[in-house]
Amino acid sequence: DIQVTQSPSSLSASVGDRVTITCRASQDISTWLGWHQQRPEKGPKSLIYATSSLQDGVPSRFSGSGSGTTFNLTISSLQPEDFATYYCLQYKTSPPAFGQGTKVEIK
Amino acid sequence: EVQLVQSGAEVKKPGESLKISCKGFGYTFTSYWIAWVRQMPGKGLEWMGVRYPADSDTRYNPSFRGQVTISADKSINTVYLQWSSLKASDTGMYYCARVNTFGQSYGWGIDYWGQGTLVTVSS
């Protein structure tokens, strides 16, 4: 099975900061990676698919990059509503695997 | 608008059975796989398995095979997650999600999530 390692597990940042979260896959998954946001006490929401394609309605301050085994989610200017936990998901092979999550907290 | 609406919170005792549901709206239900994802208290997301509502095709994560059963009733656009004998360790939030290949020939991506069903198992 392909495993995904996400880092950091948490970070503190201020409104307006640029934030980057990284996922590393145990094998080459090309661009079969998505990112999901989970706000406190809420269900997850899909942000990005195929590494870099934004879901409809997702603000352009979110971007994704990478291929193969290393992937990044970047928030260019952190907004109050972005404080949440972010999960990557490799979906090339079965079973798909989530990263462990990155909690983005207010500094 | 695509929506996945899940059944309400459940409180059960160890050894009891349970079936929770996920109903799809706003799209052709039989054209997309539905996944179930577990989130234990304070923990991350775990892929449990998927079901194709149009037929009986079901794929389980080996970690969950034999622990749960995923079924569907396409006539009412609903997929189910079922336990025959609950354990305290089954306590958690369970999400259904719509699977999307995003234009590729295969893949198990997620584009929409249900609101979650909280399952509490306690004596």
Side-chain angles (χ1 to χ4, degrees):
Chain A
D1 295 356
I2 296 177
Q3 307 303 318
V4 180
T5 303
Q6 192 172 332
S7 61
S9 56
S10 66
L11 64 90
S12 294
S14 302
V15 172
D17 283 354
R18 182 183 181 90
V19 164
T20 297
I21 299 166
T22 299
C23 268
R24 289 187 171 82
S26 59
Q27 298 175 41
D28 187 340
I29 58 169
S30 183
T31 57
W32 264 264
L33 187 112
W35 292 95
H36 300 266
Q37 176 193 62
Q38 186 174 32
R39 293 189 174 121
E41 307 306 317
K42 297 291 186 184
K45 171 189 171 185
S46 175
L47 296 178
I48 287 174
Y49 63 94
T51 296
S52 58
S53 296
L54 266 60
Q55 293 283 9
D56 290 345
V58 174
S60 59
R61 62 181 179 273
F62 290 92
S63 64
S65 62
S67 70
T69 61
T70 303
F71 303 85
N72 292 321
L73 170 70
T74 299
I75 309 172
S76 60
S77 177
L78 205 60
Q79 297 303 300
E81 60 269 29
D82 301 336
F83 291 96
T85 300
Y86 293 85
Y87 294 92
C88 59
L89 170 67
Q90 81 77 14
Y91 57 88
K92 182 178 183 182
T93 62
S94 183
F98 291 95
Q100 298 86 345
T102 296
K103 186 173 184 179
V104 177
E105 299 175 299
I106 302 172
K107 184 184 279 186
Chain B
E1 179 194 5
V2 173
Q3 286 188 74
L4 297 173
V5 179
Q6 297 185 228
S7 50
E10 301 274 1
V11 179
K12 292 289 191 179
K13 291 182 166 41
E16 292 185 333
S17 62
L18 176 64
K19 192 175 191 178
I20 63 174
S21 66
C22 169
K23 187 174 176 70
F25 296 89
Y27 71 99
T28 303
F29 189 71
T30 50
S31 295
Y32 293 83
W33 294 74
I34 293 288
W36 284 99
V37 175
R38 182 176 78 175
Q39 187 168 40
M40 297 178 76
K43 301 299 184 183
L45 304 171
E46 301 172 272
W47 187 281
M48 301 177 73
V50 288
R51 173 82 177 208
Y52 193 58
D55 58 30
S56 61
D57 200 349
T58 308
R59 318 276 177 94
Y60 292 96
N61 182 332
S63 298
F64 291 92
R65 185 174 290 125
Q67 309 305 309
V68 295
T69 301
I70 299 172
S71 60
D73 185 341
K74 63 184 179 183
S75 70
I76 54 171
N77 288 5
T78 300
V79 174
Y80 303 97
L81 179 66
Q82 169 173 9
W83 295 260
S84 59
S85 181
L86 286 159
K87 303 184 282 287
S89 56
D90 293 317
T91 294
M93 186 70 84
Y94 292 84
Y95 294 99
C96 65
R98 193 179 81 163
V99 173
N100 199 315
T101 63
F102 300 116
Q104 303 298 316
S105 57
Y106 66 96
W108 306 96
I110 288 174
D111 59 356
Y112 290 95
W113 293 82
Q115 85 277 16
T117 296
L118 179 62
V119 174
T120 303
V121 184
S122 175
S123 54

